[in-house]
Amino acid sequence: MRLSRSFLPTLKENPAEAQITSHRLMLRAGMIRQTSAGIYAWLPAGLRVLENIANIVREEQDAAGAQEVLMPTMQSAELWKRSGRYDDYGPEMLRIRDRHERDMLFGPTNEEMITDIFGQVVKSYKELPQVLYQIQWKFRDEVRPRFGVMRGREFYMKDGYSFDLDTASAVDTYRRMMLAYLRTFQRLGVRAIPMRADTGPIGGELSHEFLILAPTGESGVFFDSALEDQDWLAENVDINDRASLEQFFTRMTSFYAATDEMHDTAAWAEVPAARQREGRGIEVGHIFNFGRKYTQSMDIAVSGPDGAPLYPEMGSYGIGVSRLVAAIIEASHDENGIIWPESVAPFKAVIINLKNGDAQCDALCEQLYAAASRAVLYDDRAERAGAKFADADLMGHPWQLIVGPRGAKEGKVEVKNRRTGERTEETLEGALALIA
Ligand SMILES: Nc1ncnc2c1ncn2[C@@H]1O[C@H](COS(=O)(=O)NC(=O)[C@@H](N)CS)[C@@H](O)[C@H]1O
């Protein structure tokens, strides 16, 4: 993408309404624009990050054996009356009347809908387990939407739902999802700490939430720093073997981690002082195991091994995909702007032409741009160098390929790594190899 012709409205000043870093930087880096309270339009750079996150979430869900579906955002109230949640859910639910005066709603979550669809399809216990997920927009009419997309009213969520034969299988599924979540967040370039959590309006008794450490986090957290040193991608687990899943889960939960609501001072005292960490966390995922709450209340049964009706055991598994864009920035920025992990960056690199109009600079930049992938931005604007460097640091591209008249004479490119600040002199091939 050529910056001179792209829809990337960067801002020099901090917008007054933005109170936290990620909100300020997402507006200044031209990633989003607010359309109404808690509701945002995603501009090209922001949408690229959103889809990069969604794709990594999708890959790890698929690897864990889940199957992707896509359910409507519009739901009938009838479904929620069957589960008894229509009245309980409260003012967060946006209720709508269609032209035939039918009660509808903009879905805040999809337990009822997925259970209803599951019940139409699955008739025998032999077809269990089923784990279905979607990545879809939700609406929750938050009384005080704030911090930009961190606490929005319309937001993008991966929500997964599992159906198992019995409690033991449901626990296996829960543990399989736990590992998939830890792998997902690690691949997103952040450290999300899994913590036991309460279950709130979703229900059930087994629940964990995943928090990214950041000073602006809404939850107080206490955890053993050993959790930060784990490499979950190297964790050797046979996800189809109960004993292997149990071994992983036992080890993972042996490290202390709790939000302030669940903090247990006696257990905390057991953690070696050098490994005790306190801080604030942003909830980017939440998983629940809630048994037969929805299959029973909605009377969705399959024929069991003895032919009698069997109510499957369920769990639900959420990841805040749009919230993650902001949470990653909170965890990865400096005074000059965003520092994107390579896995989610909107652009892998930016080509910075220090002297538009200089034949050799223009030629070398065009060569770089022609050879690079779709994920490379070319700052071809007739701006002075300082403004180009400031925008490159603000937008947070992992790599800056800087082309000046001196270097261009020898076909050389100065490459700067945004995270480390390290600069090296590379040939054209060398620079392309770094950003491949
Ligand atoms: N108002 C919001 N704005 C942005 N993200 C949100 C908002 N509310 C929740 N989320 C994100 O969505 C994730 C899942 O939401 S949840 O309520 O915990 N869980 C569910 O809705 C389950 N039905 C998941 S299948 C949260 O962990 C959080 O990261």
Side-chain angles (χ1 to χ4, degrees):
M1 196 186 272
R2 294 172 190 271
L3 197 45
S4 61
R5 291 183 221 141
S6 57
F7 199 79
L8 270 173
T10 55
L11 303 173
K12 289 202 176 3
E13 300 305 320
N14 282 330
E17 77 273 17
Q19 296 144 305
I20 62 169
T21 304
S22 58
H23 190 193
R24 272 197 295 276
L25 292 177
M26 287 181 77
L27 289 169
R28 287 195 51 212
M31 294 175 63
I32 54 171
R33 283 293 182 271
Q34 181 172 330
T35 56
S36 50
I39 303 176
Y40 290 82
W42 292 80
L43 307 188
L47 183 60
R48 282 170 171 237
V49 179
L50 199 63
E51 290 309 326
N52 289 340
I53 293 170
N55 285 332
I56 288 172
V57 168
R58 181 171 283 123
E59 283 171 11
E60 291 301 327
Q61 288 297 297
D62 295 350
Q67 296 177 71
E68 187 171 11
V69 300
L70 183 62
M71 290 180 270
T73 54
M74 283 290 115
Q75 304 190 20
S76 91
E78 185 273 330
L79 269 180
W80 288 68
K81 289 173 181 165
R82 281 173 56 193
S83 72
R85 274 209 300 182
Y86 188 60
D87 299 321
D88 301 350
Y89 207 88
E92 281 78 21
M93 180 180 277
L94 183 64
R95 298 154 200 260
I96 299 162
R97 274 264 161 89
D98 73 9
R99 62 184 300 172
H100 300 298
E101 292 300 299
R102 284 182 290 229
D103 288 331
M104 308 285 289
L105 59 103
F106 191 140
T109 183
N110 284 62
E111 278 81 4
E112 283 79 0
M113 184 179 281
I114 193 69
T115 304
D116 181 53
I117 295 167
F118 166 87
Q120 295 171 39
V121 172
V122 178
K123 299 301 176 196
S124 160
Y125 76 99
K126 291 176 187 151
E127 299 167 75
L128 298 178
Q130 294 285 344
V131 185
L132 305 169
Y133 75 94
Q134 68 169 351
I135 304 178
Q136 178 57 293
W137 293 93
K138 301 285 184 301
F139 196 93
R140 292 182 187 175
D141 204 354
E142 303 277 350
V143 65
R144 273 185 61 231
R146 58 197 173 125
F147 299 164
V149 300
M150 192 74 85
R151 177 166 292 280
R153 290 198 297 163
E154 186 170 356
F155 60 96
Y156 206 34
M157 184 202 291
K158 185 285 290 181
D159 42 316
Y161 305 88
S162 62
F163 301 84
D164 273 285
L165 175 68
D166 54 27
T167 307
S169 308
V171 166
D172 290 344
T173 299
Y174 186 90
R175 293 170 173 173
R176 198 171 297 124
M177 277 295 137
M178 169 68 80
L179 180 61
Y181 272 50
L182 293 170
R183 293 171 51 86
T184 300
F185 296 123
Q186 185 171 332
R187 287 185 60 196
L188 293 174
V190 289
R191 278 279 172 237
I193 309 289
M195 302 196 173
R196 278 178 308 107
D198 66 359
T199 54
I202 302 261
E205 63 295 322
L206 177 57
S207 174
H208 281 79
E209 53 189 294
F210 299 77
L211 292 103
I212 287 181
L213 301 178
T216 52
E218 292 193 328
S219 312
V221 297
F222 300 82
F223 67 97
D224 178 339
S225 66
L227 267 170
E228 287 187 301
D229 308 335
Q230 304 303 315
D231 178 357
W232 302 115
L233 297 174
E235 191 79 4
N236 183 14
V237 183
D238 173 356
I239 59 170
N240 298 308
D241 175 83
R242 179 163 295 172
S244 181
L245 282 169
E246 181 170 13
Q247 187 184 22
F248 147 71
F249 192 76
T250 304
R251 191 174 81 77
M252 193 280 289
T253 48
S254 69
F255 300 113
Y256 187 89
T259 54
D260 36 20
E261 302 116 60
M262 309 288 275
H263 189 37
D264 167 351
T265 46
W268 180 238
E270 303 293 307
V271 178
R275 289 184 1 212
Q276 292 185 350
R277 292 284 183 280
E278 288 185 49
R280 309 219 45 91
I282 302 169
E283 182 202 314
V284 291
H286 200 153
I287 63 176
F288 305 81
N289 187 314
F290 43 70
R292 298 185 173 92
K293 178 176 181 208
Y294 296 93
T295 48
Q296 272 176 330
S297 63
M298 297 176 72
D299 196 20
I300 306 277
V302 301
S303 67
D306 52 5
L310 179 145
Y311 292 100
E313 296 249 347
M314 286 183 68
S316 74
Y317 310 86
I319 290 180
V321 175
S322 52
R323 176 176 286 183
L324 266 162
V325 179
I328 290 169
I329 294 172
E330 290 295 329
S332 182
H333 69 272
D334 65 12
E335 66 284 358
N336 298 319
I338 301 167
I339 303 177
W340 287 120
E342 290 213 22
S343 58
V344 302
F347 301 97
K348 260 289 194 51
V350 59
I351 299 164
I352 298 176
N353 186 339
L354 294 185
K355 197 168 183 188
N356 295 64
D358 172 288
Q360 285 179 314
C361 276
D362 292 353
L364 185 48
C365 286
E366 289 298 338
Q367 267 185 293
L368 271 170
Y369 184 56
S373 72
R374 170 180 180 272
V376 170
L377 187 66
Y378 174 14
D379 190 347
D380 60 346
R381 295 172 299 172
E383 288 268 357
R384 48 185 187 73
K388 294 192 176 187
F389 288 134
D391 270 355
D393 284 346
L394 168 66
M395 294 179 73
H397 320 295
W399 298 97
Q400 296 175 17
L401 309 183
I402 301 156
V403 176
R406 211 170 11 82
K409 276 196 182 54
E410 298 141 35
K412 290 289 175 56
V413 180
E414 187 187 21
V415 178
K416 175 184 159 186
N417 178 297
R418 175 70 179 86
R419 185 173 296 282
T420 64
E422 186 194 353
R423 294 165 184 271
T424 58
E425 185 110 297
E426 303 289 344
T427 62
L428 177 83
E429 294 69 26
L432 289 172
L434 273 174
I435 66 168

